[in-house]
Structures are given as C-alpha cells and as structure tokens.
Amino acid sequence: MSQAIVEFVRDIYKTDQFIPLHAPTFNGNEMAYVSETIQSTFVSSVGKFVDDFERKIEVYTHSPKAVATVNGTAALHAALYMAGVERGDLVLTQALTFVATCNALYHMGAEPIFIDVSKVSLGLCPKAVETYLEQHAVLDERGCVHKQTGQRIRAVVPMHTFGHPVELDELIAVCLKWKLALVEDAAESLGSFYKGKHTGTLGEFGAVSFNGNKIITTGGGGIVLCRDAEAGAHTKHVTTTAKVPHPYEFYHDEPGFNYRMPNLNAALGCAQMEVLPIFLEQKRKLAQQYQDFFAGTGFQFVTEPEYAQSNYWLNAVICPDANARDELLKVTNENGVMTRPIWKLMHRLPMFKDAMRGDLPVSEWVEAHLINLPSSPTEI
Ligand SMILES: *Cc1c(COP(=O)(O)O)cnc(C)c1O
C-alpha cells in the first residue's frame, strides 16, 4: 500500500524530486505587485495593497469588514480581544488543533477547556460542547460560569480542520443558549463554505492565516473577519496601536497591538487572491483523485461534510490501524513524499497539560490514525 501511494503521488506531481505537504505557487502577478511596492517605497504599514487586499477578502467572503494582520495567530489574538475574552476567562476549544489556537488564548490570559471533535468534520463537536456545559456550567448574572472554579466561560473557538467546516448551526445554537461568543479559527479554511456562507463569517469574529503553507500566502499574514462595520473599525483601531487620529499628537485610547500587515505582504496577497479560484479547482480535483485511489482499500480518505464545500487545504486519510499508519509514514517519507501525522492533542503539550477537558474519544482516535498527504495545487 505505502509503495502504491508513493507512485500515485509521484504520478500526480510528475516529479522525481522531494514532494512537500504544501508548497506555495507564484505564477500570477506576485512579482509585479511586490516590485511595485518596492518602487513606491511604501513597503511597510501603509499602502494601497493593504486596502486592496482587505477589500478583495471582503468581497470574496462577504465579510462586512476584514482587517489584515501580521499573521494568523495575531488575527486570532485580536479576535479574542474584540470578542471580550479577558484575563482569567475560560474558553472552549478543540483538543485536536494546531497549537496557535491555544497560544492566542494563553496570551489573552485565558485558559482553554479541551472538547472533543466531531467525526463528521474533525472540528469542534457541538454535542460534546453541550454535554460539557450541562455537566460543568451554570448561567448567572455574569453569564456562563464554571461550577467548579467559578471562572467565567466567555467564548467557543472551533477550528475548521484542514478546511472542512464544523457544524456551525448547532454550535451557534449552543452559544446562544449559554451566552458564549463564537470566534472561528478559520486559519485553514479560506475558500471553505458552510451552507453557502464563508467560514469565519458566521461567528462574531473569524481569523484566517496566510502563512506560507496555507491555501494562499502573503509570506506571513492573517486577517480578522468582523461581524459588522463597527466591530471592524474597532478591530482596525486596536490592531494599529489604538492611536486616535490627529495630524501630529500621539494619543492612544486603549491597549493596542501593532499587528498591521505590511504593504509588501499585502501585494503578494492581492496576486494570490486572483488565482485562488484556480487553486480551489485543482485541490478539489486532487482530493477526488485521492478519494478514488483509497476507495475499498481500508484506508478512509477524509471528505467534506455533506452540508459544506471545503477548500481541501490539506488532504488526510484515516489508516486502518496504528501499524499501517507508521508504515505509511516511514515508507513515504523515506521515498521523498512528505506525509505527517496529525498534531499531538493539546493537553499532551507541557503548557496545556493541566487544562480542563471533556472526554476526547474521537480526538484520540483521529490522533492515532490520521495522516496528511501532499496537497499543493497540481498544475499551475
Ligand atoms: C496556520 C494556523 C494558525 C496560525 O497562523 P499563523 O499565520 O501561522 O500565525 C492558527 N490556527 C490554525 C489551526 C492554523 O492552522
């Protein structure tokens, strides 16, 4: 099986060279736009590409306001701040995620509570959230409060794993019932839609990443998708040092971040947005090829939930058992085809080992069986 995968992937990418998990592609206007910023000298925090990029993302996602940031973690940090998460608060999130989700929480002074993921989406399970809250939370005049610790539970942060949208209607219902803010970690899901709506636009705030390995890249970068224009203006304000506009006075009216995306990076982003539809098309085709390849093999290729359209950012397969997984990892990597296991569950990391958590049977099962497969756009 492992050798067959190596050959199958080499056949798709038509190369004898090393095949990475996800490499960026620059065959559009990237060079022209980046050169233009250098020639204009506006390479830093002011320039037309930042505004253009934000506009392009707003049009594409139908977000009322998008605020570009230095990276996805910064976008998430600002989103949590904007959603009212405060020092000492608790936030429900999934155990199965990339560490950045929890790092952003940690640096807000908040603490994560790890909840299981759903088999349908591999993202936060609404039923598991509800079960945890029923057992451990009460509603009082402060909102949702943890019964054992007395801490406020402020928000729910789902992550759309590998681009597959979580069950958002059900999560929104839980958030309304328990008075929790919904902040979507949409870092991996640009181009993914939940029932026709772009991921990251259903919660109060959403955070997208444009790191080098994401579906499009700005080198490093991120964006906050904001629920309305007012929240958007405030997000822009806090991510740009919270300076009150004045021709020469420096006055800042709240603790701000310096999280603005440089114009140089936004130029790259503008060019990448132009080719996003092509990337998406190629990635769907690639996912279909994998799906056909794995059909009937005992290896279960991960597909989009039926309610969603996924960007298929990172392809994944569930191996029949741990031995098959280890063998596949070894043979593919030894043969220059990069594959990798999914992240370690967050509570296994030293800084989150004492965090509270619910039962995690699905997360543990996914952790032991899933590997990611090469997923770069194929033909561009
Ligand atoms: C990539 C990623 C981030 C962070 O993005 P950076 O731009 O690398 O800071 C956050 N959450 C998840 C789930 C990611 O995959």
Side-chain angles (χ1 to χ4, degrees), residues 126-203:
K127 278 206 196 73
V129 173
E130 177 84 64
T131 303
Y132 187 89
L133 289 167
E134 273 165 5
Q135 288 173 355
H136 298 282
V138 284
L139 279 171
D140 69 13
E141 65 287 352
R142 287 194 294 155
C144 185
V145 171
H146 198 279
K147 275 195 269 193
Q148 281 90 348
T149 71
Q151 287 166 282
R152 187 173 73 144
I153 306 178
R154 183 66 193 103
V156 174
V157 182
M159 194 279 280
H160 306 290
T161 304
F162 309 141
H164 304 306
V166 302
E167 295 139 280
L168 279 161
D169 282 345
E170 292 80 358
L171 265 185
I172 290 167
V174 176
C175 288
L176 284 174
K177 181 169 164 198
W178 289 91
K179 300 195 168 132
L180 299 166
L182 180 65
V183 176
E184 298 175 64
D185 183 342
E188 306 183 351
S189 63
L190 181 73
S192 296
F193 294 82
Y194 174 82
K195 297 185 182 173
K197 293 182 184 155
H198 197 279
T199 50
T201 65
L202 288 94

Side-chain angles (χ1 to χ4, degrees), residues 71-73 97-98 100-101 159 185 187-188 209 211 214 221:
N71 59 51
T73 312
T97 185
F98 177 59
T101 316
M159 194 279 280
D185 183 342
E188 306 183 351
S209 167
N211 188 32
K214 297 300 202 286

Side-chain angles (χ1 to χ4, degrees), residues 12 39 84-85 120 135 164 183 188 192 195-197 219 222 228 233 236 240 253-254 261 272-273 282 295 302 341-342:
I12 284 174
Q39 273 153 14
V85 173
V120 173
Q135 288 173 355
H164 304 306
V183 176
E188 306 183 351
S192 296
K195 297 185 182 173
K197 293 182 184 155
D228 56 38
K236 187 67 153 188
T240 55
D253 60 358
E254 67 185 296
M261 177 186 282
Q272 290 265 286
M273 273 307 281
Q282 292 193 5
V302 177
I342 197 166

Side-chain angles (χ1 to χ4, degrees), residues 24-31 271-272 274-275 278-279 379-380:
T25 308
F26 304 117
N27 285 339
N29 288 315
E30 288 85 358
M31 199 76 95
Q272 290 265 286
E274 294 171 354
V275 287
I278 301 172
F279 289 169
E379 286 156 33
I380 199 152

